[in-house]
Amino acid sequence: MTLSRDEAASTLRDISKTERRSSELFGYRFGAPHLFLWGAIWMVAYGAGYYRPHWTLVWPVLAIAGSIGSFLIGWRMKTGRANAFGWRFGGTFLSVVLFIGALFAIMPPHTDAQVAAFFPILVALFYLLIGVWTGGSRMIVLGLAMGALTLYGFFNLAPYFALWMAVVGGGGLILGGFWLRHA
Amino acid sequence: MDQPNAIIHQPVRLKIMAALRALPQGEQLEFVRLKAIVGTTEGNLGAHITTLEEAGYVAVEKDFVGKRPRTRVALTKEGRRAFEDYVSDLRAIIDATRTE
């Protein structure tokens, strides 16, 4: 059996398509547990922000707990790829912390609601960028949905914004996790 | 080279190998996910996995999660090498006809 140039090119295209699909599903499987964790954290932290606004330490404590949790999830699911990119994740996290510090120093937010809306928008941006760069269409949909829902709540549901983010933001992340896991 | 590796060249087996090659080395793919990627029936997928296993290209691991049986498949070193050779051969065919 001999192969023509066209057959060889067509076979290479099939390989490339299958590899992209496999890689995309692998990324979803890797990302889903993080969405479950952060969805639960958002539900509790935004819920506390609405029902117990004087509990000012809820967010910092849960954010630290979530970061540790994400690290442990990543460590348990450790793969060659995760190892190779481990330092990049750490570097990205540090860069984002520095960026937010600098941004808030230059343009300090005036209200708690602005801070509460900023972080979901930032997370939505990351989902979008991950989707754009990895070809993960579900990540793009998640990013767009999260960004749109956050903006809708911020501008139209100001008195209930924290509750909106607890239910829609936190619940959305958890549902997104199921959606990725069952892709 | 214009005779590709016959074991890999079969369309379903080609997709199985490509799906596994996209994973980090040593990473396994569950049978159900592989079925979704390859887009074939369980029986057909199982038969082709057996062929690849007999060739030493994939390793199959069966266990239970609770009471549910689970089958996971991974590319062996030999399989990765054979697939990379296969892809190189395809590129060589394209390059050869380009320079003719």
Side-chain angles (χ1 to χ4, degrees):
Chain A
M1 175 184 54
T2 57
L3 268 191
S4 70
R5 181 180 188 276
D6 286 348
E7 285 169 329
S10 164
T11 306
L12 280 176
R13 276 196 299 275
D14 285 346
I15 290 171
S16 180
K17 195 174 155 193
T18 307
E19 284 182 341
R20 266 202 311 275
R21 176 76 181 135
S22 178
S23 197
E24 184 185 345
L25 291 183
F26 180 79
Y28 289 163
R29 195 185 75 187
F30 201 78
H34 296 279
L35 292 192
F36 293 139
L37 173 69
W38 285 98
I41 287 174
W42 280 29
M43 279 188 140
V44 173
Y46 279 115
Y50 183 76
Y51 289 109
R52 299 279 187 273
H54 56 282
W55 287 5
T56 51
L57 284 178
V58 169
W59 258 118
V61 169
L62 286 180
I64 291 168
S67 302
I68 294 169
S70 273
F71 173 79
L72 291 176
I73 289 169
W75 184 70
R76 271 194 69 187
M77 297 179 77
K78 196 162 63 170
T79 66
R81 183 183 300 179
N83 285 339
F85 286 89
W87 70 270
R88 289 196 176 99
F89 286 125
T92 303
F93 182 75
L94 191 63
S95 306
V96 170
V97 169
L98 290 173
F99 165 75
I100 293 169
L103 182 75
F104 283 1
I106 296 166
M107 292 183 284
H110 299 297
T111 65
D112 290 344
Q114 286 178 321
V115 179
F118 172 78
F119 286 99
I121 292 288
L122 189 68
V123 172
L125 172 68
F126 281 128
Y127 287 169
L128 262 176
L129 292 178
I130 290 169
V132 167
W133 281 92
T134 63
S137 53
R138 292 193 181 211
M139 293 303 288
I140 293 175
V141 172
L142 274 177
L144 286 175
M146 186 184 294
L149 291 170
T150 303
L151 288 174
Y152 179 81
F154 183 78
F155 288 112
N156 297 296
L157 303 166
Y160 309 102
F161 182 62
L163 188 59
W164 170 260
M165 290 310 298
V167 177
V168 175
L173 284 180
I174 291 170
L175 286 176
F178 279 112
W179 193 42
L180 292 191
R181 203 168 70 170
H182 291 101
Chain B
M1 194 307 305
D2 48 12
Q3 285 193 319
N5 181 325
I7 294 171
I8 296 175
H9 190 63
Q10 197 281 337
V12 173
R13 291 198 288 269
L14 179 78
K15 283 187 180 176
I16 295 170
M17 294 293 283
L20 294 173
R21 209 267 295 247
L23 305 179
Q25 200 157 1
E27 192 70 25
Q28 296 170 312
L29 197 55
E30 281 193 36
F31 187 88
V32 283
R33 284 195 175 257
L34 195 51
K35 184 170 153 263
I37 295 169
V38 173
T40 187
T41 61
E42 278 187 23
N44 196 24
L45 182 63
H48 286 298
I49 286 174
T50 303
T51 303
L52 290 169
E53 190 182 16
E54 283 168 359
Y57 291 170
V58 301
V60 179
E61 198 177 300
K62 294 182 179 185
D63 60 0
F64 282 87
V65 181
K67 288 181 179 175
R68 203 166 54 89
R70 178 176 64 171
T71 301
R72 289 180 295 172
V73 188
L75 209 57
T76 61
K77 276 185 185 168
E78 194 184 341
R80 189 170 288 269
R81 200 178 312 119
F83 192 72
E84 276 158 14
D85 288 345
Y86 174 80
V87 171
S88 299
D89 291 343
L90 293 179
R91 292 208 175 103
I93 291 171
I94 294 170
D95 291 344
T97 50
R98 196 175 281 157
T99 52
E100 276 171 10

